[in-house]
Amino acid sequence: MGKQTGAHIVWDWNGTLFHDNDAIIGATNAAFAELGLAPITMEQYRALYCVPVPKFYERLMGRLPTDAEWEVMDETFHRYYAEHRVRCGLTAGAAELLVGWGSAGRSQSILSMYVHHELVPLVRGFGIEAHFLRVDGRVGPSGGSKAEHMVRHLGALVGVDPARTVVIGDAADDAVAALHVGARAVLYTGGSHGRASLEVVGVPVVDTLEEAVEEAQRLAA
């Protein structure tokens, strides 16, 4: 990636670089159907979604799912998602932004809560793996926060200063994870959260990835 200038972006994957909203809402409704819950719209999802995921289900069910219900819903979600993600692609302009950031001597990586052994070949399949110092997905049970994963991710990146690192993601939890390690965050409205739920976090909120990268450059200067 050439001589690095110190500024670093940690990209989220689902809903950020990877435009998979249709697969996500379909998988969510498939999981709900297993428990006899009514389907929800993308607008409802974006208004109510939160991490940890069982709390999201609590908002819709009026109670936390039991352990058995969670296992059924989680398995159904991931099975449906794996079948339908093949119809999804990169967010418009994402590939060009990755090239531009790296060409300027800056570094970047991916940290996703999508399972690691499926994330890596998916990123590789889009031909963009070479842009990243690391590609890390989730190892371990699903449903938790990204914060501790961010600690391990940045700890594995040699020469990356958290103070000059910006996390770009589509969920409030991305900002929480960034603040947990002393990094900055920019939140993108094109994924799992609507603008109203993102703005309460208190970090910059943008409508395009191009704006997100411009804001990251400013924050990491």
Side-chain angles (χ1 to χ4, degrees):
M1 297 179 66
K3 186 178 185 297
Q4 295 176 19
T5 63
H8 183 83
I9 289 176
V10 178
W11 291 96
D12 175 54
W13 179 247
N14 303 94
T16 304
L17 287 176
F18 189 45
H19 188 66
D20 60 350
N21 290 358
D22 289 344
I24 290 286
I25 192 64
T28 299
N29 283 330
F32 288 169
E34 289 292 320
L35 298 189
L37 298 173
I40 63 171
T41 64
M42 192 68 213
E43 289 72 25
Q44 289 172 306
Y45 179 93
R46 283 159 53 81
L48 296 172
Y49 181 75
C50 64
V51 174
V53 178
K55 293 291 290 183
F56 168 53
Y57 291 151
E58 182 182 26
R59 290 180 173 185
L60 293 158
M61 298 170 66
R63 61 174 176 81
L64 281 169
T66 66
D67 289 345
E69 288 172 334
W70 166 252
E71 288 183 13
V72 168
M73 296 173 83
D74 192 48
E75 191 278 330
T76 300
F77 178 95
H78 286 96
R79 183 180 68 248
Y80 182 102
Y81 180 83
E83 293 171 359
H84 290 79
R85 73 180 188 203
V86 295
R87 300 189 183 96
C88 303
L90 295 178
T91 299
E96 293 80 5
L97 291 169
L98 296 175
V99 171
W101 184 264
S103 296
R106 308 180 185 102
S107 60
Q108 50 200 329
S109 59
I110 291 177
L111 176 61
S112 171
M113 296 299 280
Y114 190 48
V115 63
H116 182 77
H117 72 268
E118 295 185 23
L119 172 68
V120 172
L122 187 56
V123 173
R124 188 172 294 146
F126 283 109
I128 58 174
E129 186 182 23
H131 296 305
F132 306 109
L133 298 182
R134 274 185 83 84
V135 175
D136 283 334
R138 174 179 51 80
V139 177
S142 62
S145 172
K146 188 179 273 190
E148 291 307 317
H149 297 273
M150 187 68 72
V151 173
R152 290 189 289 272
H153 181 72
L154 283 188
L157 293 174
V158 178
V160 172
D161 180 4
R164 297 201 63 197
T165 295
V166 179
V167 176
I168 297 179
D170 68 319
D173 191 54
D174 291 304
V176 172
L179 297 173
H180 186 68
V181 295
R184 307 289 190 89
V186 180
L187 297 180
Y188 163 62
T189 63
S192 63
H193 281 50
R195 174 174 281 275
S197 59
L198 295 177
E199 287 183 334
V200 300
V201 186
V203 302
V205 177
V206 298
D207 295 321
T208 68
L209 291 188
E210 183 178 7
E211 292 174 282
V213 169
E214 290 172 355
E215 192 67 20
Q217 184 173 346
R218 184 185 68 81
L219 291 172

